[in-house]
């Protein structure tokens, strides 16, 4: 409950600060915009088409790779806990696991997934 | 009122945020304004308080100037200096502060006027400039379309009055949107006056159209009897244009060349994010300017050597420019010499035909890479070489007239260097990412004022006909 009250206080203070600053700013310099002032600046010309458009997100293979190796790290945590008990066997098992993943990296590399463009 | 006066007092202590527009005759003045500590030159009109116009605006440029003006936040004001008595800018800006000064003193007077106007705006004694373009949406919202599409949401109708982009295949064969973007003539990252219509997929350029040169209108002579065009061209070129007709001191030409390369470098560094270094280089170019011809030493060649060394060690810059913007053999042949061709291994320089230069032991600087990095290095090397030549040339005069090696390429043989480069842009820029395209454009050192010296061909569409 205490945590909730604190969060609520922060929210109210932040909202109040925003409203006060915005109010003072609007009183001192009333906002005024016209159609030409709302277009994005591109050097003095106005655009004909809207900027909403779909494009190829070329970094998605990297995001997938990050996820894969992030999961690998998740497997390593329990392995690290039992490593001292199991000794050499645990080390060999992890090396096999890493080697299999390494082939995955080499395959991805060959396929050109690391090329940005 | 108390809050307002406190804020105004604090704001007066800061440099004046200005957006610079350079018209005809204002190219060197804007460089001096960038060096003035009283001003903070912004890259966008949004944070600027003063729109500063140096030089005379052509009719094409004045519409873009109006757009820039209306994009500034209020309070705002226009401060302008023009070398001409008649100025179209005066007709489109109803309220402005006109600065009356000779060209040499224009920068200092403009900066002082900007400070005074800012203070008056903050005190409320000078009215903020009202919007000048009509407050009308260019394409009003049409709601639900003829095929039932639209209405609300991101994919519906014509959001904010503009249709959604067209579709085309991208390089992976996917059918994706193409974003049509028009940039220039006042985008600080591009050469002054350059207008491009670019189709982008993501940040990859699929198609480029170069807009008509907004300075061209002024290059047309008033009558056929007139020997020289009405438009004098960029200030940097003056001694080179003179050397086409009469012998000119070699030292004067070489100082002008070094100054041009350093000015280019200052702008290029600013666009590449090295603004402080760019400012230092601009200051160095201004010092070269003030030395004049005939000085025997202290022309700054030692500083240029040091600058060259430090930039050659700059890995970030090398990484951003290596392998970018390579021209093909046919494109290089079309250039007929100049720094861009010399950076691709073509040893061609008009100065080699001048005995005055040969007597000084002149040999053209040539680099092999042909990319943006090679052009950067070549210009730095040439700036250093030019200062050395100026130091040793004494009173030596050029002996060849009719042709000359300008700072951007050969002059006097058909179209000027920038006129030769502009038609190559669509092929050169297509396929590049936007950042690489800007790097390429910078490295080419395009000068639209110089391109305007070549009489325009027939059938050229005006810049605003799109």
């Amino acid at each position: 409950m205490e945590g909730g009250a604190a969060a609520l206080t922060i929210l109210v203070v932040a909202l109040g600060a925003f409203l006060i600053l915005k109010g003072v700013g609007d009183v001192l310099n009333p906002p005024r915009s016209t159609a030409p002032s709302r277009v994005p600046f591109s050097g003095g010309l106005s655009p004909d088409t809207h900027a909403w458009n779909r494009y190829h997100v070329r970094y998605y293979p990297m995001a997938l790779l990050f996820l894969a190796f992030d999961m690998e790290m998740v497997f390593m945590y329990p392995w690290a806990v039992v490593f001292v008990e199991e000794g050499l066997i645990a080390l060999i098992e992890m090396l096999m696991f890493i080697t299999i993943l390494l082939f995955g990296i080499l395959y991805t590399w060959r396929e050109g997934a690391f090329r940005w463009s | 009122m108390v809050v307002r006066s406190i804020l105004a007092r604090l704001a007066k202590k800061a440099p004046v945020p200005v957006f610079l527009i350079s018209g005809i005759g204002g190219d060197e003045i804007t460089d001096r304004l960038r060096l003035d500590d009283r001003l903070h030159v912004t890259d966008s009109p949004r944070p600027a308080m003063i729109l500063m116009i140096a030089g005379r605006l052509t009719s094409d440029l004045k519409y873009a100037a109006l757009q820039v003006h209306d994009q500034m936040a209020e309070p705002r004001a226009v401060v302008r200096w023009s070398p001409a008595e008649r100025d179209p800018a005066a007709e489109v800006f109803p309220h402005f502060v006109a600065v009356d000064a000779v060209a040499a003193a224009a920068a200092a007077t403009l900066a002082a006027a900007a400070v005074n106007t800012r203070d008056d705006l903050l005190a409320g004694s000078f009215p903020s400039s009202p919007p000048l373009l009509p407050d009308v949406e260019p394409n009003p919202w049409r709601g639900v379309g003829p095929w039932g599409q639209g209405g609300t949401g991101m994919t519906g109708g014509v959001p904010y009055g503009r249709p959604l982009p067209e579709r085309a295949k991208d390089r992976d064969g996917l059918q994706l949107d193409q974003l049509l973007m028009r940039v220039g003539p006042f985008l600080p990252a591009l050469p002054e006056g350059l207008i491009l219509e670019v189709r982008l997929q993501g940040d990859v350029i699929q198609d480029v159209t170069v807009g008509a040169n907004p300075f061209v209108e002024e290059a047309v002579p008033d009558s056929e009897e007139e020997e020289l065009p009405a438009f004098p061209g960029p200030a940097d070129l003056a001694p080179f244009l003179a050397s086409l007709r009469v012998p000119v001191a070699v030292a004067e030409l070489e100082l002008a060349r070094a100054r041009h390369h350093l000015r280019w470098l200052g702008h290029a560094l600013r666009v590449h994010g090295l603004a402080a270094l760019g400012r230092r280089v601009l200051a160095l170019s201004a010092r070269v300017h003030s030395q004049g011809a005939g000085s025997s030493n202290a022309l700054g060649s030692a500083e240029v050597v040091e600058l060259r060394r430090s930039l050659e060690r700059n890995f970030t810059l090398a990484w951003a420019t290596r392998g970018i913007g390579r021209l093909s053999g046919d494109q290089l042949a079309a250039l007929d010499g100049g720094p861009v061709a010399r950076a691709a291994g073509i040893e061609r320089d008009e100065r080699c035909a001048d005995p005055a230069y040969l007597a000084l032991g002149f040999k053209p600087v040539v680099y092999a890479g042909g990319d943006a990095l090679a052009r950067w290095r070549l210009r730095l090397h040439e700036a250093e070489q030019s200062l050395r030549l100026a130091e040793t040339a004494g009173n030596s005069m050029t002996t060849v007239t009719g042709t000359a090696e300008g700072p951007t390429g050969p002059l006097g043989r058909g179209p000027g260097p920038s006129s030769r480069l502009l038609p190559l842009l669509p092929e050169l820029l297509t396929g590049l990412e936007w950042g690489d395209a800007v790097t390429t454009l910078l490295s080419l050192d395009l000068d639209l004022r110089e391109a305007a010296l070549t009489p325009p061909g027939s059938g050229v569409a005006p810049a605003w006909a799109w």
Side-chain angles (χ1 to χ4, degrees):
Chain A
M1 193 59 200
E2 273 183 19
L8 196 65
T9 312
I10 291 171
L11 187 70
V12 169
V13 169
L15 201 64
F18 162 72
L19 288 174
I20 289 168
L21 288 174
K22 171 110 177 60
V24 170
D26 287 356
V27 168
L28 291 176
N29 190 14
R32 191 160 58 143
S33 78
T34 57
S37 76
R38 285 191 292 272
V39 300
F41 172 64
S42 61
L45 299 174
S46 55
D48 267 358
T49 57
H50 198 273
W52 281 342
N53 72 118
R54 295 162 301 168
Y55 58 91
H56 192 166
V57 185
R58 294 187 181 279
Y59 52 81
Y60 80 92
M62 294 197 188
L64 290 177
L65 279 172
F66 168 74
L67 273 181
F69 289 104
D70 199 37
M71 290 312 293
E72 171 199 325
M73 288 307 296
V74 171
F75 288 129
M76 279 189 177
Y77 282 114
W79 170 80
V81 173
V82 297
F83 175 70
V84 177
E85 285 174 25
E86 298 295 328
L88 189 65
I89 291 175
L91 182 68
I92 290 169
E93 281 177 348
M94 185 46 77
L95 279 177
M96 285 167 67
F97 178 58
I98 298 280
T99 310
I100 292 167
L101 282 172
L102 194 66
F103 279 116
I105 294 180
L106 291 175
Y107 173 74
T108 325
W109 198 336
R110 198 196 73 170
E111 290 295 304
F114 295 114
R115 277 206 301 268
W116 184 259
S117 54
Chain B
M1 274 315 279
V2 178
V3 178
R4 188 189 286 272
S5 67
I6 291 171
L7 289 175
R9 228 178 11 247
L10 287 172
K12 280 179 188 175
K13 288 182 180 171
V16 186
V18 298
F19 188 82
L20 286 180
I21 281 182
S22 172
I24 292 170
D27 39 339
E28 288 202 330
I29 292 166
T30 48
D31 280 356
R32 280 184 231 139
L33 287 168
R34 285 186 184 280
L35 293 173
D36 200 304
D37 289 331
R38 291 170 289 180
L39 306 179
H40 166 60
V41 180
T42 62
D43 286 335
S44 157
R46 304 283 191 205
M49 204 170 191
I50 304 287
L51 178 63
M52 196 173 270
I53 304 171
R56 186 162 55 92
L57 294 182
T58 63
S59 55
D60 277 352
L61 287 175
K62 74 179 179 183
Y63 292 108
L66 282 174
Q67 177 88 40
V68 170
H69 170 273
D70 277 15
Q71 291 188 323
M72 291 165 64
E74 294 193 56
R76 62 192 169 203
V78 181
V79 177
R80 73 165 188 91
W81 171 84
S82 176
E85 284 180 16
R86 191 190 148 272
D87 187 355
E91 296 154 20
V92 292
F93 291 106
H95 306 292
F96 59 84
V97 178
V99 169
D100 187 20
V102 292
T109 322
L110 269 170
V115 174
N116 291 337
T117 309
R118 187 268 313 264
D119 292 352
D120 291 346
L121 273 175
L122 291 171
S125 56
F126 190 85
S128 174
S129 182
L132 299 175
L133 292 174
D135 185 11
V136 179
E137 289 288 354
N139 304 86
W141 178 270
R142 289 196 294 269
V144 178
W147 294 281
Q149 84 278 18
T152 56
M154 184 170 169
T155 54
V158 281
Y160 297 107
R162 291 181 179 80
L164 287 166
E166 294 169 14
R167 283 195 205 168
K169 279 192 176 173
D170 83 339
R171 54 188 157 161
D172 297 327
L174 298 169
Q175 191 80 7
L176 290 175
D177 297 340
Q178 279 194 333
L179 178 66
L180 181 69
M181 197 168 80
R182 283 175 192 161
V183 290
F186 297 133
L187 196 69
L190 298 186
E192 283 169 1
L194 181 66
I195 298 169
L196 293 179
E197 189 179 72
V198 183
R199 284 181 188 276
L200 289 164
Q201 275 182 334
D203 61 348
V204 179
I205 295 175
Q206 301 290 354
D207 187 37
V208 176
T209 309
V210 180
N213 186 344
F215 293 117
V216 159
E217 179 197 61
E218 304 297 324
V220 184
D222 291 328
S223 65
E224 286 183 4
E225 290 81 40
E226 224 172 324
E227 280 185 13
L228 292 170
F231 169 49
D236 275 1
L237 273 192
F240 298 97
L241 293 176
S243 76
L244 292 175
R245 300 189 305 274
V246 290
V248 174
V250 170
E252 186 186 345
L253 286 180
E254 293 310 309
L255 277 179
R257 189 184 317 278
R259 190 165 62 242
H260 177 94
H261 285 336
L262 290 173
R263 282 185 63 208
W264 167 83
L265 183 64
H267 288 293
L269 286 169
R270 173 175 57 81
V271 176
H272 273 273
L274 300 168
L277 184 58
R279 202 178 143 98
R280 272 173 49 205
V281 176
L282 269 186
L284 179 60
S285 83
R287 281 213 299 286
V288 168
H289 187 268
S290 62
Q291 298 284 348
S295 302
S296 58
N297 54 19
L299 293 176
S301 54
E303 283 163 279
V304 175
V305 172
E306 187 54 39
L307 181 72
R308 191 178 137 211
R309 282 188 189 142
S310 73
L311 284 178
E312 280 179 356
R313 286 195 297 263
N314 190 320
F315 289 108
T316 325
L317 210 55
W319 176 69
T321 51
R322 183 172 284 122
I324 305 293
R326 278 207 173 94
L327 289 159
S328 67
D330 289 347
Q331 290 171 328
L332 288 167
L335 292 182
D336 202 17
V340 175
R342 286 197 291 277
I346 297 175
E347 193 173 335
R348 185 155 189 182
D349 195 311
E350 293 297 317
R351 289 174 286 179
C352 291
D354 192 334
Y357 275 96
L358 296 178
L360 295 168
F362 170 77
K363 278 187 182 165
V365 178
V366 177
Y367 275 69
D371 54 1
L373 179 64
R375 287 172 215 143
W376 276 70
R377 289 185 168 166
L378 178 116
R379 288 204 186 91
L380 267 166
H381 203 147
E382 280 200 351
E384 185 187 322
Q385 182 195 44
S386 291
L387 288 173
R388 290 222 174 98
L389 281 171
E391 281 171 8
T392 54
N395 295 324
S396 168
M397 305 289 279
T398 57
T399 54
V400 175
T401 52
T403 59
E405 184 69 26
T408 51
L411 298 169
R413 283 206 317 258
S418 293
S419 298
R420 291 171 192 267
L421 277 166
L422 282 170
L424 306 180
L425 292 187
E427 198 182 335
L428 189 59
L429 300 183
T430 301
L432 293 181
E433 290 174 7
W434 175 247
D436 290 345
V438 172
T439 302
T440 304
L441 285 169
L442 275 175
S443 71
L444 294 176
D445 190 13
L446 292 164
D447 189 335
L448 276 283
R449 289 181 179 85
E450 177 237 290
L453 287 171
T454 309
S458 59
V460 176
W464 316 101
W466 288 326

